[in-house]
Amino acid sequence: MSPVWSQSYTLFGRGLAFSAVIASLPILILLFLLGVRRKPAWFASLFALLAALLIALFAYKLPPPLTFSAAGYGAAFGLFPISWIVFWAITLYRVTVDMGKFEIIKSSMGNLTSDARLQALLIAFAFGAFVEGAAGFGTPVAVAAAMLVGLGFSPFYASALCLVANTAPVAFGSIGIPVVTLAGITGLPVDQLSGAVGRLCAPLSLFVPCYLVCIMVGWRGMLEVWPAVVVVGGVFASVQFLMSNFVGPQLTDIMSSLCALGALLILLRFWRPTKMWDRELEPVGPVGQEKKFSTLAPGSNDRKHTAGQIFGAWMPYGLLVVLVLLWGYKPFQAVLNSVTISAGWPLLHNQVMMMPPVVAKPTLYKALYQMNFLSAAGTACMFSTLLAALLLRMSPAAFGRLLLSVCRQLFLPTLTVTAVLAMAFVMNYCGATATLGLAFSASGRLFPFFSPLLGWLGVFLTGSDTSANALFGNLQVVTAGRLGFEPTLMAAANSAGGVVGKMISVQNIAVAAAATAMTVADQAKLFRFTLRHSIVMATAIGIEVMLYAYVFHVR
């Protein structure tokens, strides 16, 4: 057995600040190519991966077998489970389109409301939050953005709205997996962490619907639909707070989103905006620099569909909901997991030693890859798609052609996802990510403000709040103990900060681009647009954690 390689977090004997600059180069290159040079996401990701490999090899001195094994491990994770979920989510949407059912969905949504602002609240926020709670890992952006495009939103605009809306539910996504993972990494009680994350995220959730509509139409346009904004935000945030504090993380998103969706539908039975947004939409800010879409005027639906037709059109998404919930049911999940294969990644598992102060004592860095084909959320989506195609009587030949078309559509986005995750895993195992974390933790009394930024950075790198919690959760606890802060608060801040990093994650931007057939130019524009809003929200969460630490004396 080869000797274990120990991480070192400072480079060339130059100290933490210099080392953090070197460690951040892959991220800076990614930001520069995406935001300044406006290169395609796949191109920027490959160059960032190359930079990470070179830094791992020549700065951190990670042996070549471990370096390239870490890259392969990250790429494999990008293919399964992440790209596996995205592939079937897009295929499910394409089945509804090719079988003519999405036109009925559009019509039924138009009958509920023809106002684009309310459609965004229904689909991007409420329905997207439900899909996040049930599946996560990019699925809500893929499904909701595709639905909005089908309703007439431009690909860029639909993606921007869904990425911003997806911040509210992320911390409790995938049946609460981020919080459960954080508890497992830190050893803190899951119920305490769930409550702390809920207390940090509920104010953000209350604010997001207002923020979303203001992005679309500005402050005055938002005031025209303020009852809907208040109902959706108030109900979602209240239920999120109550469920996370008194029930647990697993059903927090699902119950919050269903209650918000139901409350909005009830409101629409008794209230409508006095001024429908039935003209060409000209949103404020960067989004409004291009022509967007026109919404249907009230009563402009030429055809009324029967209840049976509407049920049949929504049936594929109903199947998705039922099967994802079934997949999350613990007894059934245990049966599916009986065939799960878990093995140490070759040349990497337990071959790297994490060192203090990142961990309390020297700890072997695990690299376990799970091939949970049956229990993966993407498999639930696959069975939903197959059942939908069967019940809608799609021919095998047509379904085969559809699969090939989706493969072509997702080739470059999948390349982007695998490259970014390969970069993230290389940075994790060589110690670059820990160097950046230690640089944040060196902020002393300002650490409560910078603590959420660690989670923000982790989600930007990995695309997953779960992965960011696994990456930085223990560092947050160790640093909190050294500086005298409450470990539960700092661990929760990691997850809360991560939710606003989701909208700038290159993987999620690639997923949105794939789901909406977005142009390369719009992908770079989308990153620059979401970056601005992500920084604003991350700053707000940092201030919130400071208040908890110093004003409300959560110690």
Side-chain angles (χ1 to χ4, degrees), residues 85-95 142 406 409-410 511 514-515:
I85 294 173
V86 175
F87 178 85
W88 289 109
I90 301 303
T91 304
L92 178 65
Y93 165 70
R94 290 283 301 275
V95 166
V406 174
Q409 179 183 351
L410 291 181
V511 167

Side-chain angles (χ1 to χ4, degrees), residues 320-369:
L320 175 65
V321 168
V322 171
L323 290 186
V324 168
L325 289 177
L326 178 62
W327 254 244
Y329 180 55
K330 294 298 182 183
F332 186 70
Q333 193 178 74
V335 174
L336 298 176
N337 275 325
S338 63
V339 296
T340 293
I341 299 173
S342 181
W345 191 260
L347 304 178
L348 188 63
H349 178 58
N350 286 342
Q351 294 300 298
V352 173
M353 185 76 76
M354 295 184 291
M355 304 298 290
V358 173
V359 287
K361 59 182 180 180
T363 305
L364 289 173
Y365 204 156
K366 298 183 182 299
L368 291 171
Y369 186 70

Side-chain angles (χ1 to χ4, degrees), residues 162-187:
C162 288
L163 286 168
V164 173
N166 191 231
T167 55
V170 164
F172 298 98
S174 303
I175 321 294
I177 287 298
V179 175
V180 173
T181 300
L182 186 61
I185 289 292
T186 61

Side-chain angles (χ1 to χ4, degrees), residues 249-409:
Q250 286 81 2
L251 293 177
T252 295
D253 273 351
I254 290 175
M255 293 304 300
S256 300
S257 56
L258 287 178
C259 290
L261 186 60
L264 182 55
L265 293 178
I266 292 172
L267 175 68
L268 291 177
R269 292 182 63 88
F270 303 99
W271 168 88
R272 298 280 172 169
T274 56
K275 179 181 178 182
M276 298 299 293
W277 205 266
D278 58 355
R279 61 181 177 81
E280 182 177 273
L281 190 61
E282 292 293 345
V284 298
V287 179
Q289 293 173 4
E290 61 173 328
K291 181 178 178 180
K292 295 298 175 272
F293 63 90
S294 299
T295 57
L296 298 173
S300 66
N301 294 316
D302 295 328
R303 182 180 177 186
K304 299 294 182 181
H305 298 283
T306 66
Q309 289 173 321
I310 294 174
F311 175 83
W314 281 97
M315 176 267 297
Y317 291 106
L319 288 172
L320 175 65
V321 168
V322 171
L323 290 186
V324 168
L325 289 177
L326 178 62
W327 254 244
Y329 180 55
K330 294 298 182 183
F332 186 70
Q333 193 178 74
V335 174
L336 298 176
N337 275 325
S338 63
V339 296
T340 293
I341 299 173
S342 181
W345 191 260
L347 304 178
L348 188 63
H349 178 58
N350 286 342
Q351 294 300 298
V352 173
M353 185 76 76
M354 295 184 291
M355 304 298 290
V358 173
V359 287
K361 59 182 180 180
T363 305
L364 289 173
Y365 204 156
K366 298 183 182 299
L368 291 171
Y369 186 70
Q370 278 198 339
M371 195 61 185
N372 57 331
F373 175 75
L374 285 183
S375 62
T379 304
C381 195
M382 179 190 75
F383 280 112
S384 304
T385 305
L386 296 175
L387 285 173
L390 181 65
L391 294 174
L392 294 177
R393 299 181 181 180
M394 191 177 204
S395 71
F399 189 70
R401 290 192 296 270
L402 174 61
L403 291 178
L404 290 175
S405 175
V406 174
C407 286
R408 289 192 294 268
Q409 179 183 351

